[in-house]
Amino acid sequence: MRFIHLADVHLGAVPDRGCPWSKEREEEIWSTFRRVIAGIREDPVDLLFISGDLFHRQPLMRELKEVNYLFSTIPDTRVYLMAGNHDFISRDSFYNTFEWNSNVIFFRSRELTCVKDPRLDVYVYGLSYYDREIKDGLYDQAVPVQKEGIHILLAHGGDEKHIPLSAAALAASGFDYVALGHIHKPQILIRDQAAFSGALEPIDRNDTGEHGYMEGRLINGRIRTEFVPFACRSYQQLVMTLHEETTQISLEEAVKSQIFRRGGRNIYRIVLQGMRSPDLLLIPEKLKNVGNVTDVVDESWPAYDLGELYKRYSGTLIGDYIGYFLAKEGMDTVEKKALYYGLQALLETGSRR
C-alpha cells in the first residue's frame, strides 16, 4: 500500500498581492496541484489524503468541478479529503451538495467519521470544519474502531483556535498514521506516525524553506514516510554583510549575484547587517529591483569610531549624546538604533552649518 499525504493547497490564494509576480503565483498553486495529479497518473498510488484547506476560501462551483475532473483522471486512486478552517463548510457552501466522483470520499460531517477502504484493509478517519475557528481538542479522544487493519486519521489543526493537538495523545491513540494539515511548514510530529505535510506551495513570505508532500508506504506491516519537495519556488532569507568599502552599486551587484546562484524564481527577504561607511547613502528600496524581493530589512550600522567622536565633540551636544549611550553597560537593539540614527542626524546637521 502506498499513499500521498498533502494539505493546505490553498487553491484560489493570491500570494504577495500587489507584487509583479503575484498573478503568476496564483496560477502556480493550481499548476503544482495539477502536477501532483499528473504524477499519480504516471505512477499510481493507492490513496491520496488531503488534510484540509484544499481551497483558500469557499470554493466556487466551477473550481469544485475542475478539481473533481482531476480526481476522475486517477480512478485507481482513492481520494480522501476534508474541509479545513479556510474552506470550512458554511451554510451556503457548494460543499454541501456537490457530488464527487466515485473514487472520492469527502468527510462532510463535523463529527469524526470512519470509512473503510473497499479494496484495502485500511480505515480512514476524518471530519470537516463548519466554522473558521474550533477551539475544542476534537482529536484528543480519537481512537481506531478496532485493532485489525491499518488506521489513518486525517486531522487539521494544531493551535489554540484551530483544534489544539496533543502529540502525546496522538502517539498513544493507536493510529498507524496521522495525516496533519494547517501548519504550513513541513514538520514530523512523530516519526512515521504523525506529520504535517506543510503547504504544497508556499503561500506567504513566512512559509520559508522547502514545500511539497509526504509519501508513505506500508512495509512489513508498518508505515514508512518521507517528505517529497515539490514546490516550484521558495521563500528565502538572504543575509548580506556590509563593510566600510560597500557601495550602493556593489551591494546591488552582490545581491543580484546571490539571487542568480540561489534561483531567480525564488522570492527573497533581504537582511542587511554589518558596519557600513558613515558616508554611504544607502537606499534599501532599490534592492527590490534586482529580483523577486518582498522586504529589505536594514540592520547595518554606520562604522563610527565612538571613542574618537566623543573626544572630538567633548562639551558639545554631540559629545553629551554619545556619552549618554557609552555610559550604559549594554544597549539593546532599540537603543543602538537611537544612538546611530540620532548621531548621524546630529553630524549631518552640524556639517550643514
Side-chain angles (χ1 to χ4, degrees):
M1 187 267 286
R2 179 168 161 256
F3 66 81
I4 283 177
H5 156 215
L6 56 85
D8 301 286
V9 182
H10 287 279
L11 297 172
V14 186
D16 304 327
R17 191 182 291 274
C19 292
W21 59 85
S22 182
K23 182 63 178 176
E24 187 178 354
R25 291 289 294 126
E26 179 185 12
E27 294 169 354
E28 283 172 357
I29 292 173
W30 275 94
S31 176
T32 298
F33 180 65
R34 292 177 65 178
R35 285 194 293 118
V36 172
I37 303 301
I40 293 174
R41 281 200 301 270
E42 295 176 6
D43 185 15
V45 296
D46 299 292
L47 306 167
L48 171 61
F49 303 124
I50 303 177
S51 301
D53 287 354
L54 174 59
F55 295 93
H56 189 61
R57 33 78 182 140
Q58 294 295 311
L60 304 175
M61 177 59 76
R62 62 174 175 79
E63 293 173 325
L64 286 172
K65 289 180 178 179
E66 295 284 12
V67 168
N68 199 39
Y69 165 74
L70 290 174
F71 291 154
S72 74
T73 66
I74 51 171
D76 295 329
T77 297
R78 300 286 293 184
V79 181
Y80 293 84
L81 72 151
M82 58 173 290
N85 61 295
H86 275 265
D87 58 353
F88 70 96
I89 304 178
S90 64
R91 180 175 299 179
D92 57 353
S93 172
F94 292 117
Y95 271 144
N96 285 306
T97 57
F98 189 75
E99 294 188 12
W100 293 95
N101 197 59
S102 60
N103 65 321
V104 180
I105 303 297
F106 178 65
F107 289 103
R108 188 173 278 116
S109 174
R110 68 179 70 222
E111 306 293 334
L112 195 64
T113 304
C114 173
V115 176
K116 185 180 187 301
D117 192 89
R119 298 177 303 176
L120 304 168
D121 193 18
V122 174
Y123 297 80
V124 184
Y125 303 70
L127 55 78
S128 276
Y129 276 63
Y130 273 73
D131 298 285
R132 295 183 189 276
E133 297 181 359
I134 302 177
K135 298 181 180 180
D136 298 326
L138 301 183
Y139 304 119
D140 288 349
Q141 305 302 318
V143 294
V145 294
Q146 62 181 42
K147 292 183 178 181
E148 292 76 20
I150 301 298
H151 298 266
I152 296 176
L153 171 66
L154 272 62
H156 189 92
D159 61 45
E160 61 181 11
K161 293 183 178 181
H162 306 97
I163 311 186
L165 296 172
S166 165
L170 292 177
S173 65
F175 289 103
D176 295 279
Y177 183 69
V178 182
L180 294 163
H182 184 60
I183 305 300
H184 283 191
K185 292 186 179 182
Q187 184 180 143
I188 305 298
L189 204 61
I190 307 167
R191 184 174 180 180
D192 292 327
Q193 189 178 344
F196 288 97
S197 64
L200 185 61
E201 279 280 347
I203 304 302
D204 63 47
R205 60 196 66 182
N206 295 316
D207 294 345
T208 55
E210 291 186 320
H211 286 77
Y213 59 81
M214 300 296 295
E215 183 173 329
R217 298 173 185 270
L218 185 64
I219 301 175
N220 297 326
R222 294 197 62 182
I223 288 178
R224 296 287 183 263
T225 61
E226 65 175 337
F227 174 73
V228 179
F230 203 73
C232 64
R233 62 172 117 192
S234 64
Y235 289 91
Q236 298 186 19
Q237 179 163 290
L238 180 57
V239 178
M240 303 298 297
T241 302
L242 279 59
H243 45 79
E244 291 191 58
E245 289 73 34
T246 300
T247 67
Q248 177 73 31
I249 294 176
S250 71
L251 176 59
E252 292 174 16
E253 292 297 322
V255 170
K256 190 181 300 182
S257 176
Q258 285 291 319
I259 289 177
F260 178 80
R261 184 176 63 83
R262 292 184 176 211
R265 289 182 59 80
N266 295 327
I267 302 168
Y268 296 90
R269 177 179 187 262
I270 299 174
V271 180
L272 305 178
Q273 296 180 346
M275 304 297 289
R276 51 183 163 80
S277 174
D279 61 2
L280 170 62
L281 179 59
L282 184 63
I283 310 175
E285 284 299 307
K286 290 188 69 176
L287 297 176
K288 290 187 176 180
N289 298 325
V290 303
N292 298 330
V293 178
T294 58
D295 296 293
V296 180
V297 180
D298 184 11
E299 297 178 354
S300 66
W301 310 104
Y304 291 123
D305 185 335
L306 296 177
E308 191 276 331
L309 287 174
Y310 178 65
K311 291 179 182 179
R312 185 194 304 178
Y313 292 98
S314 179
T316 69
L317 175 60
I318 293 175
D320 292 343
Y321 186 80
I322 296 172
Y324 169 80
F325 287 98
L326 290 181
K328 291 178 172 290
E329 293 184 4
M331 290 185 287
D332 59 25
T333 302
V334 174
E335 290 173 324
K336 199 172 181 180
K337 284 184 177 180
L339 166 59
Y340 283 102
Y341 291 156
L343 179 56
Q344 187 169 9
L346 288 171
L347 290 170
E348 289 176 353
T349 301
S351 68
R352 290 195 292 267
R353 290 179 178 176

